[in-house]
Amino acid sequence: MALTSDELNYLVYKYLLESGFTHSAFAFGNESYVDRKSIAPSRAIPPGALISFVQKGLQYLELEANLNEDGTDVDADFSVLSSRDLLTSSVEELKELVTKRRNMTDEERKAQREEEEKELRAKAEADGIKIESDVEREITSDEVTILDGHTSEVFICAWNPTKQLLASGSGDSTARVWSVPAGPSGREAQAKLEKPKVLEHKSDEDGASAGDAMDTGDENKNGEWAAGANKSKDVTTLDWNADGTLLATGSYDGQARIWDTEGKLLMSLKKHKGPIFSLKWNKKGDCLLSGSVDKTAIVWDAKTGEMKQQFAFHSAPTLDVDWRSPTSFATSSMDHSIYVCELGKDKPVKAFKGHTDEVNAIKWDPSGTLLASCSDDFTAKVWNLKKDTCVHDFNEHEKEIYTIKWSPTGPGTENPDLPLILATASYDATIKLWDVDSGKCLHTLEGHTDPVYSVAFSPDGKYLASGSFDKHLHIWNVKDGSLVRTYQGEGGIFEVCWNKEGNKVAACFSNNRVSVLDWEV
């Protein structure tokens, strides 16, 4: 049996189409005539056929290189050869490599791989080619500080804006405030870790928590939400005030709580009738805004804990809230709509309609001029208060968009010379970076293999951290879209965030842990 050149060309053509290289596929198809010949077999070729054939060929080569002289199998480790070895060496050379490397320790093999990487990179750079090193890109577990203590998934984390404190919220009914040691992360920092302040979200004094009859399930006859006790006090959201003196937490029990940095509960805010999914301080720190499954948003007086105003405009659960100014804010909902509200007014200032599915997140740009939104309808949109329709409709994702973030760049920011960029993260496992002036996609960041739940720009706007349920935290170069560093944890990632200096990144995981790693250019 032999594979003809026309058949191989057809496999390459299929690979280019499947990988999204439509222009390359068109050019290749034209030049090789595969789109004009009857080469395609009567039975459909399965997706990924070319990759599958190449992998099987490499496996055959690896097996051949590991056979004894008499043709019998070797009862030993087959993992001493890399794909580069298999692609660039003859069978006889591979056998020599196997014999040599079997006598090495794991440390010696790693050192040799690193040396080969350096030689290859030096040769490529001498030829004017820049290549990346997986060895250099990977952040090892020795370089990471692990914050252990939660007994359930950690849903959210946030750095204090003025101190080396990190807050985390979990499904174990607690938030924790960690004092993160200065200096390099890793084993030494791990040894210096102090016990965190544990913020317990307890039931009311009478023994009945407000959350005992609430959930994101079905409405009961009174319009409230019925929940199981195991979810009633999950900490779903948290936010530090601007000067870092107060931490607000939102919970499945429908209560917002305000704590000091020592973990003392100062106030419990109890007007919502359903879980709180979003909670934000305004910049002045005198008001707290909460959005709930009960379809409302509430503005609270941060000094007294009293409700200033409740906004009941949505017809379905409120999913996100975000301040525009000290008294103006936006809300988004499962009812597909977005409202811009003003404290003291009993009707929305503006209603944005255009999404065809629930609106998962909203964010004002640094100037408060543009509002970005993302939805389960696979789109992200940018809105302006002066227009009724969206300014931009970004529709290049292939699945639901879970979250969005603006870069801390452009007029009025600490990085005024850099362009304003919007990042969108999707269930299609990609992140897209958009130029908001032109409305064009600058880069599609492909490196994750599962939904991306969180993205965060570095304070200087030059890098983007992303966290996915594939257990990987990636750090990307915003300018060219390249993957700079990567870290693999032991659970899916719900949230990533940078500290104020931009030299540490935190991530919270589904395996009950929070990880802190260093960043330096």
Side-chain angles (χ1 to χ4, degrees), residues 299-320:
V299 175
W300 308 87
D301 187 315
K303 291 182 180 179
T304 65
E306 296 296 317
M307 182 177 73
K308 282 195 167 189
Q309 189 174 348
Q310 188 167 25
F311 299 81
F313 304 139
H314 288 292
S315 59
T318 305
L319 296 180
D320 200 12

Side-chain angles (χ1 to χ4, degrees), residues 95-368:
K95 286 184 176 182
E96 290 177 10
L97 284 174
V98 169
T99 303
K100 179 182 177 182
R101 291 179 184 171
R102 282 232 175 89
N103 296 322
M104 290 181 173
T105 64
D106 289 341
E107 289 76 15
E108 288 172 335
R109 289 179 198 164
K110 181 180 178 182
Q112 186 183 48
R113 282 199 302 271
E114 291 177 356
E115 187 60 34
E116 289 172 354
E117 285 274 0
K118 288 179 182 177
E119 290 176 5
L120 186 66
R121 191 163 55 256
K123 184 178 183 301
E125 287 175 356
D127 295 334
I129 303 170
K130 182 181 178 182
I131 64 171
E132 292 179 341
S133 164
D134 288 338
V135 174
E136 285 189 358
R137 240 171 21 199
E138 185 178 349
I139 298 169
T140 66
S141 56
D142 290 341
E143 302 171 80
V144 177
T145 304
I146 304 295
L147 309 182
D148 262 325
H150 284 294
T151 58
S152 186
E153 306 101 319
V154 187
F155 298 123
I156 192 163
C157 57
W159 288 95
N160 186 292
T162 61
K163 307 175 183 69
Q164 279 296 99
L165 299 176
L166 179 69
S168 58
S170 167
D172 63 8
S173 301
T174 74
R176 293 171 193 248
V177 177
W178 312 81
S179 179
V180 179
S185 299
R187 292 181 180 177
E188 288 188 20
Q190 194 89 36
K192 297 176 185 176
L193 270 179
E194 300 174 2
K195 289 185 178 180
K197 304 290 189 300
V198 180
L199 286 50
E200 295 186 10
H201 289 59
K202 296 181 179 179
S203 301
D204 292 339
E205 292 180 357
D206 62 3
S209 166
D212 289 345
M214 300 171 191
D215 200 311
T216 55
D218 299 322
E219 285 184 278
N220 62 25
K221 293 179 181 178
N222 298 320
E224 297 180 353
W225 293 73
N230 63 325
K231 298 294 290 181
S232 66
K233 290 182 288 296
D234 282 8
V235 179
T236 52
T237 182
L238 50 79
D239 192 37
W240 291 99
N241 66 348
D243 61 11
T245 56
L246 298 174
L247 177 71
T249 61
S251 170
Y252 249 82
D253 65 5
Q255 293 186 37
R257 295 169 172 86
I258 298 177
W259 317 74
D260 66 16
T261 55
E262 294 301 311
K264 181 182 178 182
L265 178 62
L266 303 178
M267 299 176 199
S268 292
L269 315 178
K270 305 177 182 178
K271 293 293 184 181
H272 280 300
K273 295 181 179 180
I276 295 173
F277 279 169
S278 186
L279 194 66
K280 302 279 176 63
W281 292 93
N282 66 356
K283 288 184 179 179
K284 286 179 66 176
D286 60 345
C287 290
L288 184 66
L289 172 64
S290 58
S292 169
V293 167
D294 67 8
K295 310 173 190 175
T296 74
I298 294 177
V299 175
W300 308 87
D301 187 315
K303 291 182 180 179
T304 65
E306 296 296 317
M307 182 177 73
K308 282 195 167 189
Q309 189 174 348
Q310 188 167 25
F311 299 81
F313 304 139
H314 288 292
S315 59
T318 305
L319 296 180
D320 200 12
V321 296
D322 197 43
W323 289 99
R324 176 174 178 264
S325 70
T327 58
S328 174
F329 60 91
T331 64
S332 71
S333 168
M334 290 177 72
D335 66 8
H336 313 173
S337 65
I338 301 163
Y339 291 117
V340 180
C341 309
E342 182 81 33
L343 194 60
K345 296 184 179 181
D346 58 5
K347 291 183 180 180
V349 175
K350 194 82 173 178
F352 292 129
K353 310 280 185 178
H355 283 295
T356 57
D357 211 329
E358 55 193 66
V359 185
N360 295 316
I362 48 173
K363 294 287 181 296
W364 290 100
D365 78 332
S367 69

